[in-house]
Structures are given as C-alpha cells and as structure tokens.
Amino acid sequence: MNGVELFLLGRTLMKIGEQAMPRPTSDSQGSIRSVVVVLGDLVTHPGTTVGEIAARTGLPQSQVSTAVARLEQAGSVNTEPDPADRRRRLIHPTAKPSARVAEVRAATIDDALTTALSGPDGTAPDPDILIEVTEALDLLAHRLTPSVAARARDLDAAAEPHAKAKP
C-alpha cells in the first residue's frame, strides 16, 4: 500500500463511519465530520480553546467555532471564560455525555459496513469477509488512536529542525 492508497482508504472509512452515525433529529447545519473531530479532540484535550483545536485538527477556526456551538447546544460541552484572556473561552466536554453523544457512540457500523462490502448487484457480502474486515478495523482502531497520531506528529515536528539543518 502506498500513501495515495492509504489516503483513499481513509476517505472511504470516514464515509462508512458517517453512514453508520444516526442522523440528528434537528435540521442543524454543518458537517457531522467536523463535530466528531472537534469532540474527539476535546475529549483528549479538555479545557482548550477554539484556536488550539483548529491548530491541532487542521480544521478552519470558523468550522471549529460552528462545531463547538452545535456541541454546546446539544449539551455535550461547556464553555467558560479563559482566566488568562477573558476574550477567549475554554471548552470542556460535559461529565455526562448528552443523549445525542450516547446515541452516536451506541451506533454500530454493521449496516454501513455490510452496505460497503456488498456486491455491485447488491448481494450481501460473505459473512467471513465481514468478520475479517471488522476484526481488521478493530485492530486498526486499537493501534491507531488519536494519541498514536499525536505522537507521530510530535516525532515529525522534532525531526523537522534536524532535517532543515542538513545542507
């Protein structure tokens, strides 16, 4: 597998994940993906700011602000003024997940994965293939968590000054 194939696989997995998530009952605007990314970042980095989330995730600050507003409206996060700079707000996930977060976390990928693995004519995938792919995804989820990705970024950042120093 090369980088392009991995990138395309990642996009496909994101689409399957989005299809597996239950749709919100409200007609809220914005990307489900950005809300999931922001909430995932907040769980790892509670007490953070919109700007810090944007820097870590690569999402535009306006998209992070919209996602935080949606999460706050859903009761998934709380905000408070930053004591160091009252113009900024610190964002924390709530102690108890909102009903929406609980609903999303309880949703399985079974139907979305079955659809993705179905034949072009709509025939159901071989049950053994479904099990094999599910086990592979579980392994990847266990081995490639956000903290693993953060460590990789930290290693890249640490190596970058050394790379620039070479003639």
Side-chain angles (χ1 to χ4, degrees):
M1 175 176 281
N2 63 35
V4 172
E5 292 167 329
L6 179 61
F7 177 81
L8 293 173
L9 173 61
R11 288 183 49 110
T12 300
L13 292 174
M14 284 192 318
K15 289 177 182 179
I16 293 169
E18 286 175 339
Q19 291 169 355
M21 284 187 249
R23 295 282 172 223
T25 54
S26 68
D27 56 339
S28 56
Q29 300 298 313
S31 167
I32 292 173
R33 186 179 305 153
S34 63
V35 172
V36 170
V37 169
V38 168
L39 187 56
D41 184 78
L42 281 168
V43 168
T44 307
H45 303 94
T48 193
T49 66
V50 167
E52 292 166 343
I53 296 168
R56 281 190 299 270
T57 62
L59 293 172
Q61 192 159 336
S62 61
Q63 203 170 11
V64 172
S65 294
T66 300
V68 168
R70 287 179 63 188
L71 289 165
E72 192 169 22
Q73 184 180 27
S76 299
V77 300
N78 295 318
T79 63
E80 64 184 5
D82 182 347
D85 182 349
R86 308 282 296 163
R87 296 170 295 175
R88 297 186 321 169
R89 304 211 37 94
L90 298 178
I91 310 154
H92 301 271
T94 56
K96 182 177 184 236
S98 69
R100 173 70 180 145
V101 169
E103 176 189 26
V104 169
R105 286 182 181 163
T108 67
I109 64 166
D110 299 344
D111 291 342
L113 192 56
T114 298
T115 300
L117 293 172
S118 293
D121 59 353
T123 56
D126 181 315
D128 290 338
I129 291 175
L130 195 55
I131 291 168
E132 180 182 25
V133 171
T134 301
E135 288 173 352
L137 291 172
D138 285 341
L139 176 64
L140 289 172
H142 178 72
R143 298 286 185 196
L144 296 176
T145 63
S147 61
V148 171
R151 283 197 312 268
R153 278 194 308 273
D154 292 346
L155 289 173
D156 286 346
E160 192 171 304
H162 302 293
K164 289 180 181 177
K166 293 180 182 177

